[in-house]
Amino acid sequence: MGQMENTSTSLVLMLVGSALMLWFHPIQAQNGLFHDYYAKSCPKVEAIIQSVVAKAVKKEARIAASLLRLHFHDCFVKGCDASLLLDDTSNFTGEKTANPNRNSARGFNVVDNIKSAVEKACPGVVSCADILAVAARDSVLISGGPSWVVPLGRRDSRGASIQGANNNIPQPNSTHQTLETKFKLKGLNVVDLVVLSAGHTIGLSRCTSFKQRLYNLTGNGKPDPTVDQGYLKQLRTLCPQTGTDDNQTTPLDPVSPTKFDTNYFKNLEVGRGLLITDEILYTTKGSETAALVKFYARHSQAFFQQFAKSIIKMGNITPLIKPRGEIRKNCRKMN
Ligand code: HEM
Ligand SMILES: *[C@@H]1O[C@H](CO)[C@@H](O)[C@H](O)[C@H]1NC(C)=O
Ligand SMILES: *[C@@H]1O[C@H](CO)[C@@H](O)[C@H](O)[C@H]1NC(C)=O
Ligand SMILES: *[C@@H]1O[C@H](CO)[C@@H](O)[C@H](O)[C@H]1NC(C)=O
Ligand SMILES: *[C@@H]1O[C@H](CO)[C@@H](O)[C@H](O)[C@H]1NC(C)=O
């Protein structure tokens, strides 16, 4: 008992210690990204982004979640290169109509507002991909979560991949193995999978993303047995089996929907994870993910430190750097 407490205490201290080191010694630019990238060319960029994000979140708390998700959906397709932000045109198909994004990815107007403010201060300098990375950090912080130093210097793509968006971003009914595999393909491990999934401590989901588990999980006419009964009843009321609006939304973390905290993990422990892919992190017997959920449910600081590390790692996925790519004038279209 005392032994176990000591072990977890020293584990926490270790995690805190290594995160502090990360803070004071940001990873050197092995991949071309570094925090001071705009120090001369746009010294106020982070303050400008932060103020537009703050204004938008004040108007609608959900925007923090929407911006965080945009960074994830950008990074999992061809790296973090703002490919997600390109609008479709008559001769170009972007990623916005891909399954994980259609009628679901949002916050694009806020990104436009950030870009306008940044362009005003330093025209043609700051990439849309970097804006997404900084806006995600600000969104988490403003929601009560951790902060971190964002490596910068990403460039914007001159293309997009709807196939990449459909294939690389996991579906809400992916299996445990598929989740692990899709993260591994992006260089992210099981710890990254668990803490980044906890991005679902804020934001909303539509019925369509979890209805399968309310009525007919595996085609045998039965609901997912791992859902708490009271929660199941509540979700079935919101999302009736037939003839209604599957666009209705409900919080991914019903306990504290706009607060970035450990309730995401605590919910999983009591059958109140919203998506199949949330709950299976905990219910998959003997899995490393289940042990991690239990650990982070009780160690908020460790969760915050690891979230910062893992999202920096996600932001470093195959970066597009000079001389490749461009700095878009308008995030919605190539120059
Ligand atoms: C592990 C695999 C993941 C799956 C299968 C998944 C799936 C989903 C789904 C289905 C929704 C609701 C979409 C809708 O119905 O409109 C959602 C929302 C969201 N996701 Fe994920 N997600 C995953 C990982 C992540 C990661 C890594 C992050 C960020 C670190 C993230 C952040 C969010 C946020 C913040 C929302 C709410 C967005 C809003 O309210 O606008 N997700 N996700
Ligand atoms: C697509 O159409 C626009 C406007 O007609 C044109 O300027 C652009 O060059 C076209 N792009 C491609 C890739 O063909
Ligand atoms: C997951 O959802 C998709 C789309 O809704 C569906 O086509 C597929 O059959 C589901 N997969 C499983 C394993 O239930
Ligand atoms: C459940 O799904 C299966 C296969 O998709 C279907 O044959 C069956 O009729 C469904 N049952 C109910 C009760 O909806
Ligand atoms: C959900 O909303 C989208 C547009 O926002 C619409 O195209 C779609 O038909 C709606 N779905 C339902 C089931 O109402």
Side-chain angles (χ1 to χ4, degrees):
M1 168 85 183
Q3 179 76 25
M4 269 176 64
E5 269 173 22
N6 282 339
T7 310
S8 59
T9 306
S10 43
L11 180 54
V12 172
L13 288 175
M14 236 175 65
L15 291 167
V16 171
S18 56
L20 285 177
M21 292 202 2
L22 255 183
W23 181 272
F24 292 116
H25 307 280
I27 296 167
Q28 280 311 302
Q30 283 157 5
N31 60 8
L33 304 184
F34 54 98
H35 177 243
D36 289 342
Y37 190 82
Y38 298 112
K40 290 220 174 75
S41 57
C42 196
K44 298 219 169 75
V45 61
E46 292 191 66
I48 296 168
I49 296 172
Q50 196 260 332
S51 95
V52 181
V53 170
K55 221 176 285 167
V57 173
K58 207 167 166 190
K59 210 164 131 197
E60 189 205 11
R62 185 187 180 187
I63 280 296
S66 306
L67 292 172
L68 172 59
R69 188 171 186 232
L70 289 185
H71 183 43
F72 164 50
H73 284 203
D74 179 31
C75 293
F76 265 54
V77 184
K78 307 189 316 110
C80 319
D81 60 359
S83 55
L84 169 62
L85 301 180
L86 294 171
D87 280 342
D88 285 9
T89 68
S90 56
N91 58 6
F92 176 80
T93 303
E95 295 165 14
K96 290 183 179 180
T97 56
N99 296 324
N101 297 329
R102 190 172 4 101
N103 299 331
S104 172
R106 62 198 294 283
F108 298 111
N109 291 331
V110 176
V111 175
D112 291 339
N113 293 344
I114 298 172
K115 179 66 172 171
S116 306
V118 169
E119 284 296 298
K120 219 167 137 190
C122 348
V125 169
V126 178
S127 68
C128 299
D130 279 343
I131 286 175
L132 287 181
V134 173
R137 188 270 315 273
D138 293 343
S139 294
V140 168
L141 179 61
I142 230 168
S143 306
S147 189
W148 58 91
V149 174
V150 184
L152 297 169
R154 299 169 188 81
R155 309 258 298 172
D156 298 324
S157 70
R158 289 196 47 82
S161 174
I162 188 170
Q163 294 88 352
N166 282 323
N167 296 332
N168 305 356
I169 300 169
Q171 293 186 278
N173 63 356
S174 295
T175 63
H176 195 270
Q177 184 56 58
T178 300
L179 287 177
E180 283 196 27
T181 303
K182 297 210 178 222
F183 272 65
K184 196 165 179 191
L185 283 168
K186 296 293 153 196
L188 300 172
N189 62 29
V190 172
V191 172
D192 301 319
L193 167 64
V194 170
V195 299
L196 290 173
S197 291
H200 293 171
T201 175
I202 54 176
L204 308 180
S205 168
R206 294 162 304 154
C207 291
T208 188
S209 301
F210 56 84
K211 200 169 156 182
Q212 182 187 351
R213 66 193 299 239
L214 306 183
Y215 299 101
N216 200 353
L217 179 67
T218 58
N220 66 358
K222 297 211 169 98
D224 184 338
T226 67
V227 190
D228 167 78
Q229 286 303 305
Y231 192 43
L232 178 65
K233 211 176 145 202
Q234 190 186 316
L235 293 175
R236 281 178 156 188
T237 303
L238 179 76
C239 317
Q241 188 161 20
T242 51
T244 52
D245 185 1
D246 281 349
N247 287 325
Q248 293 282 330
T249 57
T250 192
L252 286 150
D253 168 5
V255 175
S256 51
T258 60
K259 193 154 177 10
F260 195 100
D261 57 22
T262 54
N263 283 328
Y264 171 81
F265 300 115
K266 291 177 182 159
N267 294 337
L268 300 186
E269 293 182 309
V270 295
R272 287 172 175 255
L274 185 60
L275 307 180
I276 295 171
T277 47
D278 294 320
E279 197 59 55
I280 55 170
L281 295 175
Y282 179 70
T283 56
T284 302
K285 292 264 173 325
S287 63
E288 199 182 337
T289 61
L292 288 163
V293 168
K294 282 187 217 170
F295 175 74
Y296 289 120
R298 275 155 202 79
H299 295 96
S300 172
Q301 285 308 309
F303 165 49
F304 278 18
Q305 310 287 1
Q306 185 59 51
F307 187 87
K309 278 196 203 178
S310 293
I311 200 164
I312 289 172
K313 208 167 149 189
M314 185 180 89
N316 285 342
I317 298 171
T318 53
L320 186 65
I321 56 166
K322 231 174 176 173
R324 295 163 63 223
E326 65 184 17
I327 304 296
R328 276 182 219 147
K329 290 194 181 71
N330 174 340
C331 293
R332 292 175 182 270
K333 47 187 195 188
M334 295 166 253
N335 291 342

